[in-house]
Amino acid sequence: MILAGPFLCDNVEDIYRDIQDSFTRSAFHIGGAEVNFYCWNTTQEITDFMAKYQIPRSEEGFMELWIEYQVEALARFKKANGGKLKDMILWTSHMTEPQYLHYLDPKIYTEQNWERSTN
């Protein structure tokens, strides 16, 4: 997905609606482990968007984009689910590091940890 694409959130909302129509679980896994800042930094649409809005091409800048997306995605999920939220699960990632964790409301989000099979 191109994070800076003009129709991304509309498409995500449609996907969320389709999933809600098919599954009735009390939790929803939103992923997050495969977010790759190197990929974002080499994607023209994203770097153009960042330049246009003077967002630095740094970890902090990419986190700003991701946080904005996460806030909008949560709102779109709620809209697609009839105004209700579920327990939103996400993988351990940059977003769950201590300096960014405060962006995730613990009443809404549950972190699923990646662990090696030997742990």
Side-chain angles (χ1 to χ4, degrees), residues 34-52:
E34 302 302 326
V35 172
N36 186 319
F37 296 156
Y38 174 79
C39 180
W40 289 6
N41 198 33
T42 59
T43 302
Q44 188 72 44
E45 292 90 347
I46 292 175
T47 58
D48 287 351
F49 179 88
M50 293 176 84
K52 179 179 178 181

Side-chain angles (χ1 to χ4, degrees), residues 41-86:
N41 198 33
T42 59
T43 302
Q44 188 72 44
E45 292 90 347
I46 292 175
T47 58
D48 287 351
F49 179 88
M50 293 176 84
K52 179 179 178 181
Y53 293 99
Q54 300 178 342
I55 299 170
R57 287 170 62 180
S58 63
E59 179 176 326
E60 291 77 19
F62 293 121
M63 284 305 299
E64 180 181 334
L65 283 183
W66 190 4
I67 291 161
E68 287 179 22
Y69 168 78
Q70 195 63 51
V71 167
E72 183 63 22
L74 183 65
R76 297 299 185 109
F77 179 89
K78 186 175 180 179
K79 182 178 174 188
N81 194 40
K84 297 180 224 151
L85 289 175
K86 294 184 176 189

Side-chain angles (χ1 to χ4, degrees), residues 3-119:
L3 189 66
F7 303 108
L8 173 67
C9 288
D10 291 338
N11 292 334
V12 167
E13 183 179 329
D14 289 341
I15 292 167
Y16 287 162
R17 187 171 293 106
D18 289 345
I19 290 170
Q20 295 313 309
D21 290 345
S22 301
F23 302 99
T24 59
R25 302 204 186 266
S26 63
F28 185 79
H29 205 299
I30 57 171
E34 302 302 326
V35 172
N36 186 319
F37 296 156
Y38 174 79
C39 180
W40 289 6
N41 198 33
T42 59
T43 302
Q44 188 72 44
E45 292 90 347
I46 292 175
T47 58
D48 287 351
F49 179 88
M50 293 176 84
K52 179 179 178 181
Y53 293 99
Q54 300 178 342
I55 299 170
R57 287 170 62 180
S58 63
E59 179 176 326
E60 291 77 19
F62 293 121
M63 284 305 299
E64 180 181 334
L65 283 183
W66 190 4
I67 291 161
E68 287 179 22
Y69 168 78
Q70 195 63 51
V71 167
E72 183 63 22
L74 183 65
R76 297 299 185 109
F77 179 89
K78 186 175 180 179
K79 182 178 174 188
N81 194 40
K84 297 180 224 151
L85 289 175
K86 294 184 176 189
D87 180 22
M88 305 300 281
I89 302 169
L90 74 161
W91 289 116
T92 302
S93 63
H94 276 79
M95 184 68 79
T96 61
E97 290 180 4
Q99 67 269 32
Y100 302 114
L101 195 56
H102 65 277
Y103 290 105
L104 301 172
D105 184 341
K107 294 175 189 161
I108 298 171
Y109 292 98
T110 298
E111 177 185 357
Q112 183 174 1
N113 292 302
W114 278 105
E115 293 290 334
R116 295 177 191 254
S117 62
T118 58
N119 289 347

